[in-house]
Amino acid sequence: MESIQVFAPASVANVGPGYDTFGFAIEQLGDVITLTKRNDHKLKVLKAEGADLPTDPKNNVATVAIQSLLDYLESDQGMDVHIKKIFKPGSGLGSSASSASGAVFAANHLLGNPLKLEKLLDFALEGEALASKSYHADNVAPSLLGGFQVVRSYEPLELFRIPTPAALRVLIIFPDVEIKTSEAKGLIPKELSVKDAREQWGNVGALIHAMHSEDYSLLSHAVRDRIAEPVRKQLIPEYGKVKQTTLDFGAVGFNISGSGPSMFAFFKSSEAAKACMVKIEKMYQKVNLPVMLHLTKINPNGCQIL
Amino acid sequence: MESIQVFAPASVANVGPGYDTFGFAIEQLGDVITLTKRNDHKLKVLKAEGADLPTDPKNNVATVAIQSLLDYLESDQGMDVHIKKIFKPGSGLGSSASSASGAVFAANHLLGNPLKLEKLLDFALEGEALASKSYHADNVAPSLLGGFQVVRSYEPLELFRIPTPAALRVLIIFPDVEIKTSEAKGLIPKELSVKDAREQWGNVGALIHAMHSEDYSLLSHAVRDRIAEPVRKQLIPEYGKVKQTTLDFGAVGFNISGSGPSMFAFFKSSEAAKACMVKIEKMYQKVNLPVMLHLTKINPNGCQIL
């Protein structure tokens, strides 16, 4: 194999109460990454479409991730890297995680699959850490492995995947303002009262049980957050109005996606979500802000060869 | 109906990561409560066996719980109350919750079942609050309703029940020292770092997923606690040794039950648990401390008419 092209899905992290813990992959949005073997030992970012990304291989998430994989394998295989982004970095949909996941997934295939899929997580995390200044398995894991992933522990890294209702639809709402993950991180409190923490894990538990049992009523109560939403919602234009609108249209859960500004709403059907989209589009037109609305499912697949 | 006798099971609360959130009912241990109608309007504690309980109806958990039910129903029905405790108060197995649950369950039956089971929780909590100086649904809910209960929210009170593996066995280890709930509460920190809180809810989520999916390996990693165990284990004689012994015998989870000194260990089979019991008994003999060992299942039933 001389060349490979893969799709690495975007993802929604936190999902209400699961700060740094929950994340799920979505459909259509993501990175298309093409790798081609080189005869020298260089990693070269040939082209980056859809965003202004660094082309220095030491500063590009994809090449940093590939390099850590190559180092582990003691390989000096050179590669040309072509990245096409189908969504904007800084949107809160795990842009750097998609690039890092897609890059290591593609590189591992190009090298003849020396490593298992789960093992690739370590190297994708190295790439992701470059962008967000910390390790975020909650975006990388769903982008690489698909579905709804839960981080049980960071040290050592241990994850599991929960089932999700097949009928569940996700409306992504991305008002076109940029929020840097590092800036949004700075707002998060360092400490939490045990009372608040306890309420948060009540909701963590409820969300997992609701996904297992397809209990939409419980789900609608469980998607709450005491960590990030209270401080980050101020960065997102029209946050309160958008939230109320989705709930008025029957959303069974609404919150910020990752560090924002994207928001997500769970719906039991496409119809309710579509009616809601029209309303939200008009809302942002009134304030002259472009908005991307994307109706999707929880994507059971992670990275896929195209 | 002039008289009724009920069994209200004991319970294990916290269950590792679920501080004030998780609780499950156990078998055999609990309260037997007998209520008999009186012709006057008095509530009278006739007899309390197995423990030195207050007989003043304003200071007895059972009668306080019954009184709050009677007030809600605007009833002045008098009752004689007989309480037989099959386990010691102060053991960490939800003694006051058993008394409160059994009392309101029995009283509601004696009055012709005017209220549904779930509604009785409010009144049982009133009784329980007398003993522990705060509302603890994590013991009251399993004692009243049975099974493994999770508190999603305290304000408003909202719970759900998770499935548990039929094969799962629970070993209760009660070294005979008394720990007052109010004293054990005083050791708990008021604040928690977000990092620790995040690890805790990773484990909360893992425990719920493990129970749904019967994943014993995940369960064994999930039964951890950063809130109560680090500060309360010092109050429990031989804590570290007992924990290690259960793990050596294949326990898939070990921690403090409620505020201690009782401990619980999950096992995949009775055989492993029985072998472990012999070892633990010897361990406490060496230090001349009586220990009660009780091998049980998670009890799917709450209060039952006898």
Side-chain angles (χ1 to χ4, degrees):
Chain A
M1 188 185 277
E2 286 304 305
S3 182
I4 188 172
Q5 189 170 58
V6 308
F7 173 72
S11 54
V12 170
N14 297 350
V15 200
Y19 179 71
D20 275 2
T21 302
F22 289 169
F24 62 81
I26 61 175
E27 294 182 330
Q28 285 105 30
L29 302 183
D31 278 20
V32 174
I33 293 187
T34 312
L35 300 186
T36 308
K37 280 185 181 169
R38 290 175 63 96
N39 291 330
D40 59 16
H41 305 312
K42 289 181 180 162
L43 289 183
K44 226 170 168 177
V45 182
L46 269 201
K47 202 176 170 188
E49 286 179 72
D52 186 23
L53 301 177
T55 52
D56 174 1
K58 287 200 163 56
N59 284 319
N60 183 291
V61 163
T63 41
V64 167
I66 294 170
Q67 189 61 59
S68 75
L69 171 69
L70 292 174
D71 290 348
Y72 178 84
L73 294 171
E74 297 180 3
S75 163
D76 58 1
Q77 176 66 54
M79 296 177 196
D80 280 332
V81 181
H82 179 154
I83 304 165
K84 186 180 167 191
K85 297 207 79 74
I86 316 177
F87 68 116
K88 275 195 180 182
S91 59
L93 296 168
S95 175
S96 52
S98 291
S99 294
S101 299
V104 291
F105 178 81
N108 189 51
H109 265 274
L110 206 57
L111 296 166
N113 283 312
L115 298 179
K116 282 189 185 167
L117 192 57
E118 285 72 20
K119 179 65 190 160
L120 299 179
L121 204 54
D122 298 342
F123 313 109
L125 279 169
E126 288 296 328
E128 220 277 328
L130 176 75
S132 63
K133 315 276 183 274
S134 57
Y135 289 87
H136 285 298
D138 53 345
N139 280 119
V140 171
S143 186
L144 182 67
L145 308 168
F148 194 122
Q149 299 281 341
V150 181
V151 184
R152 188 196 69 74
S153 155
Y154 269 91
E155 291 163 21
L157 186 63
E158 200 187 303
L159 306 111
F160 58 93
R161 178 180 177 147
I162 60 168
T164 53
L168 197 67
R169 293 296 177 273
V170 186
L171 177 59
I172 304 287
I173 303 143
F174 168 45
D176 197 356
V177 293
E178 192 182 344
I179 295 178
K180 284 206 187 303
T181 300
S182 50
E183 186 190 331
K185 278 263 162 205
L187 293 174
I188 302 294
K190 293 260 179 297
E191 299 253 299
L192 198 60
S193 74
V194 168
K195 194 165 169 272
D196 277 352
R198 181 185 82 176
E199 291 280 323
Q200 188 93 347
W201 62 67
N203 287 320
V204 163
L207 194 145
I208 290 186
H209 178 69
M211 289 295 187
H212 267 280
S213 55
E214 308 206 355
D215 182 338
Y216 292 108
S217 170
L218 182 64
L219 182 62
S220 72
H221 291 186
V223 184
R224 290 168 201 242
D225 174 37
R226 291 181 179 239
I227 312 292
E229 192 196 32
V231 289
R232 285 178 175 171
K233 65 182 179 187
Q234 67 204 12
L235 302 177
I236 303 172
E238 307 296 305
Y239 187 80
K241 274 190 199 167
V242 174
K243 180 170 188 168
Q244 190 55 51
T245 302
T246 64
L247 299 176
D248 291 346
F249 277 84
V252 288
F254 176 94
N255 222 293
I256 301 169
S257 172
S259 49
S262 285
M263 298 156 270
F264 73 94
F266 286 136
F267 282 94
K268 282 187 280 187
S269 78
S270 295
E271 289 64 38
K274 281 177 188 164
C276 183
M277 286 166 82
V278 176
K279 187 87 176 176
I280 290 172
E281 192 139 42
K282 281 185 188 161
M283 195 179 288
Y284 279 109
Q285 269 172 1
K286 271 193 191 167
V287 295
N288 285 319
L289 187 67
V291 62
M292 181 207 75
L293 293 156
H294 178 62
L295 184 56
T296 178
K297 288 190 260 186
I298 293 180
N299 184 350
N301 305 310
C303 292
Q304 300 276 291
I305 300 174
L306 294 175
Chain B
M1 188 185 275
E2 286 304 305
S3 182
I4 188 171
Q5 189 169 60
V6 307
F7 174 72
S11 53
V12 169
N14 297 350
V15 200
Y19 180 71
D20 276 2
T21 302
F22 289 170
F24 62 81
I26 61 174
E27 294 182 329
Q28 286 105 30
L29 302 184
D31 278 21
V32 175
I33 292 185
T34 312
L35 301 185
T36 308
K37 279 185 182 168
R38 291 175 62 97
N39 292 328
D40 59 15
H41 305 312
K42 289 181 180 162
L43 289 184
K44 226 168 168 178
V45 183
L46 269 200
K47 205 176 170 188
E49 287 179 73
D52 187 23
L53 301 177
T55 52
D56 174 1
K58 288 201 163 54
N59 284 318
N60 183 290
V61 163
T63 41
V64 166
I66 294 170
Q67 189 62 58
S68 75
L69 172 68
L70 292 175
D71 290 347
Y72 177 83
L73 295 171
E74 298 180 1
S75 162
D76 57 2
Q77 176 66 54
M79 296 179 196
D80 280 332
V81 180
H82 179 154
I83 304 166
K84 187 179 167 191
K85 297 206 80 72
I86 316 177
F87 69 115
K88 274 195 181 181
S91 59
L93 295 168
S95 174
S96 52
S98 291
S99 294
S101 299
V104 291
F105 178 81
N108 189 52
H109 265 275
L110 207 57
L111 296 166
N113 284 312
L115 298 179
K116 281 188 186 168
L117 192 59
E118 285 73 19
K119 178 66 190 160
L120 299 179
L121 203 55
D122 298 343
F123 313 110
L125 280 169
E126 288 296 329
E128 220 277 328
L130 176 76
S132 63
K133 315 276 182 275
S134 56
Y135 290 88
H136 285 297
D138 53 344
N139 280 120
V140 171
S143 186
L144 182 67
L145 308 168
F148 195 123
Q149 299 280 341
V150 182
V151 183
R152 187 197 69 75
S153 154
Y154 270 92
E155 291 164 19
L157 185 63
E158 200 187 303
L159 306 110
F160 58 93
R161 179 180 177 147
I162 60 167
T164 53
L168 197 67
R169 292 296 176 273
V170 186
L171 176 59
I172 304 288
I173 304 143
F174 169 44
D176 197 357
V177 293
E178 192 182 345
I179 294 178
K180 285 206 188 303
T181 301
S182 50
E183 186 190 331
K185 278 264 160 203
L187 293 175
I188 303 293
K190 294 260 181 296
E191 300 251 300
L192 199 60
S193 74
V194 168
K195 193 164 170 275
D196 277 353
R198 181 185 82 176
E199 290 281 321
Q200 188 92 349
W201 63 67
N203 286 320
V204 162
L207 194 145
I208 290 187
H209 179 70
M211 290 294 188
H212 267 280
S213 56
E214 308 207 354
D215 183 338
Y216 291 109
S217 169
L218 182 64
L219 182 62
S220 73
H221 290 187
V223 183
R224 290 168 200 241
D225 174 37
R226 292 181 178 239
I227 311 291
E229 191 194 33
V231 289
R232 285 179 175 169
K233 66 182 177 187
Q234 67 203 14
L235 302 176
I236 303 172
E238 308 295 306
Y239 187 80
K241 275 190 199 167
V242 175
K243 181 171 187 166
Q244 191 54 52
T245 303
T246 64
L247 298 176
D248 290 346
F249 278 83
V252 288
F254 175 94
N255 223 294
I256 302 169
S257 171
S259 48
S262 285
M263 299 155 271
F264 73 94
F266 286 137
F267 282 93
K268 280 187 281 186
S269 77
S270 295
E271 289 64 38
K274 282 176 187 163
C276 184
M277 286 166 82
V278 176
K279 187 87 175 175
I280 290 172
E281 192 138 42
K282 281 184 188 160
M283 193 180 289
Y284 279 109
Q285 269 172 3
K286 271 193 191 167
V287 296
N288 285 320
L289 188 66
V291 62
M292 180 207 75
L293 293 156
H294 178 62
L295 184 57
T296 179
K297 288 188 261 187
I298 293 181
N299 184 350
N301 305 309
C303 292
Q304 300 275 292
I305 299 174
L306 293 175

